Amino acid sequence: MNIEKHLRQLHKIQPDPAYARQLRARLVLAASQPRRMTFQVFLASVTRSGFAAAAIGLLLFLAIGGSIWNLVFSPITNWDAKTLLAEAQAINIQIRLADLQFNDPGYERERLVSPATDFKSLEIITGSEENILPVSTPAETATASSTEPSIDSASSEPAATPANSTSTQIEPDDGIIDVEEALDILSH
Amino acid sequence: MQENEENLIRRAATGDSEAFGVLYDAYHPQIYRFIFLKVSSKEDAEDLAHQVFMNALEHMPGYRHKGFPFSSWLYRIARNAVIDHYRTKKDRVSLEDADPEDFARGESIQADAHRALEIEKVRRAIKKLSPLHQDVIIMRFVEELAIREVAVALKKSEGAIKLLQHRAITELQRIISENEESTK
């Protein structure tokens, strides 16, 4: 049996002509009527294109959105160097040196009374308890004694002897004092 | 026809009933044949063909011509219609119970009895194939469509269609010879 030949014979199958004419008339009639689906088709196409646009927008946002957000909305973009400088200068920075705390004043006291101390250069600053400083130069002492100096003025002011503090120059008889004598001096 | 077809499709999509009528004239016989060879009766084939063209008319505004033949789109609608038909009407006529007289009327072939018998054997054998093999056999050997057109209609590659048609023909030959041996 030649299958392909018989298959080609099946091509001769035709629909019933009467049925075909009737169906054609129905279809042409249906096609000529105003389309009720126009709005739905329009809506479907709009929805379809809307979804596509939304998907593209989302991808773009994910790709470059973070960078744009930072550029547009970051507070850094509103700053400029002049503003920052003006703000920095407007800050009232005052250091209350009188409030400074020293960790171990006992160490300095011990050092003062050691036999190797050069008493010729030793200055004991008397006054308030806060003003007891370790070995210090007169300039440092002056700075430390002034109350509430501003940072700006501190560097320009000359080092001066503080008014509320007194210095005592110790002149040992033979350059050596004993421990009790040193403690006595410190207690004053 | 290809250029005219594109123009007809565009006109039909905008509601030109006469253009749709021309498309119907061109494609109704082959769609009807495709359906008739896959269902059990002439009445079912007529109903389904009607349904296919009504669906096509309804969806014409959304049809986008992408260079493929219009028939590929119609075949897809027809395939889906046949699948739905078998899904919803399983309890109706089985393939084996179909009246051979229907085929003779459907074919409109007034040939000799022997040839009609041979054709009927082939037709019955086609119905025993899987739906995909049926599609390939009908499109390639009955309608003599190009491989590319069949590939578009069945959403497969051309290579897959070549393989499918080879398997389908082999399977068809096996079924026919089995049927002949059983009748001896």
Side-chain angles (χ1 to χ4, degrees):
Chain A
M1 179 189 272
N2 186 346
I3 293 175
E4 290 191 26
K5 184 185 164 195
H6 287 302
L7 286 171
R8 277 195 291 275
Q9 292 288 324
L10 292 173
H11 190 79
K12 292 178 180 170
I13 296 172
Q14 291 291 323
D16 183 56
Y19 149 78
R21 275 196 304 274
Q22 193 185 6
L23 178 57
R24 188 185 195 281
R26 266 191 257 167
L27 288 167
V28 168
L29 185 67
S32 62
Q33 285 175 348
R35 291 186 187 278
R36 286 171 295 176
M37 297 298 290
T38 306
F39 179 70
Q40 282 93 328
V41 170
F42 169 75
L43 197 66
S45 63
V46 166
T47 309
R48 202 163 39 230
S49 45
F51 274 127
I56 290 167
L58 182 65
L59 285 173
L60 283 175
F61 177 76
L62 290 174
I64 57 172
S67 306
I68 290 175
W69 182 270
N70 283 341
L71 283 173
V72 175
F73 298 106
S74 172
I76 292 170
T77 56
N78 297 327
W79 293 352
D80 63 343
K82 288 180 182 177
T83 311
L84 288 173
L85 185 63
E87 284 178 2
Q89 285 173 341
I91 296 169
N92 186 19
I93 300 173
Q94 290 182 339
I95 297 173
R96 193 182 286 269
L97 292 176
D99 292 340
L100 286 173
Q101 297 290 324
F102 294 95
N103 290 336
D104 191 8
Y107 165 76
E108 289 300 329
R109 187 173 298 169
E110 234 175 59
R111 199 165 68 86
L112 283 171
V113 299
S114 68
T117 304
D118 180 9
F119 284 98
K120 288 184 178 174
S121 61
L122 181 64
E123 265 191 303
I124 296 175
I125 302 160
T126 58
S128 63
E129 186 64 26
E130 296 83 32
N131 288 340
I132 297 173
L133 294 172
V135 181
S136 56
T137 62
E140 285 171 339
T141 309
T143 306
S145 63
S146 62
T147 55
E148 299 183 4
S150 74
I151 279 204
D152 295 336
S153 61
S155 59
S156 59
E157 280 178 12
T161 305
N164 60 346
S165 66
T166 57
S167 297
T168 306
Q169 189 71 32
I170 300 169
E171 293 290 339
D173 294 335
D174 52 1
I176 297 169
I177 57 172
D178 59 9
V179 173
E180 285 81 11
E181 197 174 354
L183 286 173
D184 187 45
I185 293 164
L186 286 169
S187 67
H188 285 89
Chain B
M1 174 64 185
Q2 193 64 30
E3 281 185 27
N4 287 341
E5 185 179 275
E6 204 173 329
N7 189 33
L8 282 170
I9 291 165
R10 200 176 300 119
R11 282 168 51 204
T14 56
D16 186 336
S17 60
E18 204 47 51
F20 190 79
V22 175
L23 288 171
Y24 168 85
D25 291 339
Y27 292 111
H28 179 249
Q30 68 188 74
I31 295 298
Y32 172 82
R33 253 190 317 269
F34 175 79
I35 295 169
F36 180 73
L37 290 170
K38 288 170 74 72
V39 298
S40 55
S41 73
K42 182 186 161 194
E43 286 74 24
D44 283 343
E46 288 178 350
D47 286 348
L48 289 173
H50 179 206
Q51 197 180 314
V52 167
F53 279 93
M54 287 303 283
N55 280 346
L57 175 64
E58 191 178 315
H59 293 97
M60 275 305 285
Y63 178 79
R64 297 283 173 270
H65 189 70
K66 295 174 181 171
F68 304 124
F70 185 63
S71 61
S72 303
W73 187 57
L74 291 175
Y75 275 118
R76 275 193 219 165
I77 299 174
R79 283 185 75 216
N80 290 336
V82 171
I83 290 167
D84 287 347
H85 169 78
Y86 279 118
R87 194 179 291 153
T88 57
K89 298 182 179 177
K90 275 181 183 171
D91 55 334
R92 290 185 68 182
V93 186
S94 76
L95 298 178
E96 298 303 314
D97 296 338
D99 183 3
E101 288 298 309
D102 282 342
F103 309 143
R105 284 200 300 272
E107 292 162 15
S108 299
I109 297 169
Q110 303 300 321
D112 59 283
H114 179 71
R115 195 180 67 176
L117 193 63
E118 291 289 303
I119 292 169
E120 174 53 26
K121 278 182 189 172
V122 174
R123 190 179 181 276
R124 278 180 177 269
I126 288 173
K127 292 198 174 193
K128 287 185 177 176
L129 292 171
S130 70
L132 191 58
H133 284 175
Q134 285 179 10
D135 295 342
V136 173
I137 287 285
I138 295 167
M139 289 183 190
R140 283 289 293 142
F141 298 103
V142 179
E143 300 302 330
E144 297 182 332
L145 299 180
I147 285 182
R148 179 171 171 268
E149 201 170 339
V150 179
V152 171
L154 299 181
K155 291 186 178 177
K156 297 208 177 282
S157 68
E158 293 185 18
I161 296 300
K162 285 177 188 169
L163 190 64
L164 274 170
Q165 78 177 25
H166 173 71
R167 286 178 182 169
I169 278 286
T170 309
E171 182 69 6
L172 191 64
Q173 281 173 331
R174 189 189 62 78
I175 292 168
I176 288 170
S177 31
E178 272 182 12
N179 286 347
E180 281 177 348
E181 281 177 12
S182 65
T183 53
K184 280 177 186 174

